[in-house]
């Protein structure tokens, strides 16, 4: 059985349109998840270790003020288009669109005021919560009125996130959740003793601005071969890597499949990622630098968390040979990701 509670988390500043931010607490016997109506943010996720002790394994803030300041999308739903669009430019139906550039020469995670920074309308479900918003035509430069539903449901040790959208004009769309995980517990210094595996035979090499070059490269014989579990710290050292911030290409199938696994041997905590999406961005918190203080005023240094963002491939709207990122009127965008937590 899942218990669902709601409470007030804070009040949006008037400059941001005001409005009450609510927190929804989903609780099963093995997990507790807290989700905000601001950005559909996963603000906390507590799960058991092998000794039965609960720890919060996602980075974030104790108060709304933390989320109102600039931060690297902790726990948020990002869109309309997650990841990068080269030069913030794309063409649909012969018309060129220019987006706000917020990541060097590129547009990242929906622009200046993406889905992570707005209030969503919640509806409580028996085992979770569904958030809705209408992204108006022209918001952040994107075409079409876009209706979006993000639904979180909790069952035992499994958190499901379903994304649905419908549009009035052809528009690119790519939704994901940007939770930062540390299975040792948020606030732990690093993720070097985590074991990571990703079920991908190929990945996307990127240029110096993190835009895919267009090549779909094999992982065989490279540092990107994570098909067997690697201990992250040793793996980064062995290949002299600063970290990962890359899209791994998943088997193209609309069905649910296991695509990645993270494990923290000292606590026994493990997380499996299952999805219907064609890609997963593996990011090792390379840009965290200790300047941000999160829950319990703990500093978040470099490599103190990882993200496994299930999504379409970056810049797909400008790469015809990538899986299509376009949603047409009359169609429905519908993807689900399942995070399955266990301890052994």
């Amino acid at each position: 059985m899942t218990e669902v509670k709601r409470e007030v988390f804070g009040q949006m500043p008037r400059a941001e349109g005001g409005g009450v931010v609510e927190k929804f607490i989903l609780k099963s016997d093995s997990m507790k998840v807290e989700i905000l109506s601001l950005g559909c943010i996963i603000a906390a996720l507590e799960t058991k270790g092998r000794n039965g002790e609960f720890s919060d394994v996602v980075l974030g803030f104790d108060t709304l003020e933390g989320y109102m300041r600039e931060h690297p999308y902790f726990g948020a739903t990002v869109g309309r288009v997650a990841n990068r669009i080269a030069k913030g430019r794309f063409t649909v139906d012969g018309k060129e669109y220019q987006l706000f550039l917020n990541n060097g020469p590129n547009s990242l995670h929906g622009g200046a005021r993406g889905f992570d920074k707005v209030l969503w309308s919640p509806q409580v479900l028996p085992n979770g919560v569904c958030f809705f918003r209408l992204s108006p035509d022209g918001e952040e430069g994107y075409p079409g009125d876009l209706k979006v539903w993000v639904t979180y449901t909790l069952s035992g040790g499994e958190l499901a996130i379903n994304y649905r959208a419908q549009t009035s004009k052809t528009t690119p769309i790519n939704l994901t959740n940007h939770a930062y995980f540390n299975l040792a517990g948020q606030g732990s210094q690093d993720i070097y003793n985590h074991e990571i595996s990703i079920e991908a035979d190929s990945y996307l090499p990127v240029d110096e601005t993190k835009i895919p070059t267009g090549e779909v490269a094999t992982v065989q014989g490279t540092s990107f071969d994570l098909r067997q579990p690697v201990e992250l710290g040793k793996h980064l050292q062995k290949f002299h890597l600063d970290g990962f911030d890359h899209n791994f290409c998943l088997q193209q199938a609309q069905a649910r499949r296991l695509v990645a696994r993270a494990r923290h041997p000292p606590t026994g905590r493990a997380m499996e990622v299952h999805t219907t999406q064609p890609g997963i961005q593996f990011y090792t918190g390379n840009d965290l630098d200790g300047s941000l203080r999160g829950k319990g005023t703990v500093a978040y240094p470099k490599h103190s968390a990882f993200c496994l963002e299930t999504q379409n491939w970056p810049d797909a709207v400008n790469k015809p040979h990538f899986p299509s990122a376009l949603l047409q009127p009359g169609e429905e965008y519908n993807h689900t990701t399942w995070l399955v937590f266990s301890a052994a």
Side-chain angles (χ1 to χ4, degrees):
M1 280 295 290
T2 301
E3 190 188 315
V4 184
K5 292 200 308 217
R6 68 194 294 177
E7 57 188 51
V8 171
F9 186 66
Q11 178 83 31
M12 292 279 276
R14 197 168 295 158
E16 300 284 339
V20 172
V21 179
E22 288 189 280
K23 176 164 81 177
F24 296 82
I25 302 156
L26 318 184
K27 200 172 173 191
S28 71
D29 54 354
S30 59
M31 264 176 82
K32 184 171 100 169
V33 187
E34 299 181 1
I35 304 156
L36 307 181
S37 56
L38 170 70
C40 308
I41 287 170
I42 298 176
L45 194 157
E46 293 182 16
T47 178
K48 281 180 183 175
R50 77 163 65 83
N51 301 328
E53 76 289 355
F54 279 89
S55 273
D56 181 3
V57 297
V58 296
L59 275 53
F61 303 101
D62 292 318
T63 63
L64 180 58
E65 288 68 43
Y67 291 105
M68 296 313 300
R69 289 195 289 269
E70 194 156 310
H71 67 92
Y73 307 93
F74 286 145
T77 292
V78 287
R80 258 183 219 198
V81 176
N83 219 309
R84 293 170 180 85
I85 293 179
K87 301 186 173 57
R89 230 179 276 152
F90 62 89
T91 301
V92 172
D93 297 338
K95 184 176 175 193
E96 183 168 283
Y97 293 87
Q98 178 64 56
L99 309 172
F100 184 75
L101 305 180
N102 61 337
N103 185 248
N106 307 315
S107 181
L108 176 72
H109 293 332
R113 189 175 159 86
F115 288 2
D116 59 298
K117 296 181 180 68
V118 292
L119 271 181
W120 294 62
S121 304
Q123 182 194 351
V124 171
L125 307 172
N127 60 341
V129 58
C130 176
F131 296 98
F132 170 79
R133 86 175 289 256
L134 171 68
S135 172
D137 186 12
E139 182 174 63
E140 284 297 325
Y142 288 98
D145 283 332
L146 187 75
K147 292 178 179 170
V148 192
W149 296 264
V150 178
T151 304
Y152 292 90
T153 48
L154 180 64
S155 171
E158 177 176 284
L159 178 67
I161 312 172
N162 173 257
Y163 307 91
R164 284 172 53 225
Q166 297 162 358
T167 185
S168 64
K169 292 181 186 170
T170 304
T171 188
I173 181 170
N174 183 23
L175 302 176
T176 191
N177 179 277
H178 209 312
Y180 285 67
F181 294 98
N182 187 320
L183 298 180
Q186 73 85 30
S188 299
Q189 276 301 291
D190 61 60
I191 46 171
Y192 299 142
N193 59 358
H194 283 57
E195 291 173 356
I196 303 280
S197 57
I198 299 177
E199 302 275 333
D201 297 329
S202 51
Y203 76 102
L204 300 180
V206 293
D207 67 18
E208 64 285 353
T209 73
K210 308 250 172 67
I211 291 290
T213 59
E215 181 192 359
V216 180
T218 178
V219 300
Q220 185 72 43
T222 74
S223 59
F224 296 90
D225 191 346
L226 304 177
R227 293 173 293 189
Q228 294 299 316
V230 301
E231 189 180 318
L232 196 56
K234 287 182 179 161
H235 188 78
L236 295 179
Q237 234 173 353
K238 176 182 170 184
F239 288 97
H240 308 292
L241 298 176
D242 184 52
F244 287 95
D245 190 5
H246 293 81
N247 177 82
F248 287 75
C249 308
L250 306 174
Q251 192 192 334
Q252 303 290 299
Q254 277 295 304
R256 170 178 177 161
R257 61 220 183 278
L258 172 65
V259 297
R261 194 161 187 268
R263 191 170 156 265
H264 182 246
T267 59
R269 282 193 195 94
M271 174 177 95
E272 287 182 355
V273 182
H274 301 243
T275 192
T276 58
Q277 290 272 28
I280 189 166
Q281 185 87 3
F282 178 39
Y283 174 55
T284 49
N286 316 326
D287 296 324
L288 297 173
D289 59 7
S291 61
L292 273 181
R293 291 196 172 269
K295 296 174 225 179
T297 71
V298 175
Y300 291 147
K302 181 174 178 166
H303 296 162
S304 61
F306 64 89
C307 305
L308 286 166
E309 305 156 67
T310 55
Q311 53 182 268
N312 198 357
W313 300 3
D315 200 34
V317 70
N318 291 313
K319 306 269 197 299
H321 61 296
F322 283 10
S324 173
L326 295 179
L327 179 65
Q328 313 285 347
E331 293 180 348
E332 183 169 85
Y333 176 93
N334 194 332
H335 279 290
T336 307
T337 293
W338 296 264
L339 303 175
V340 185
F341 293 87
S342 59

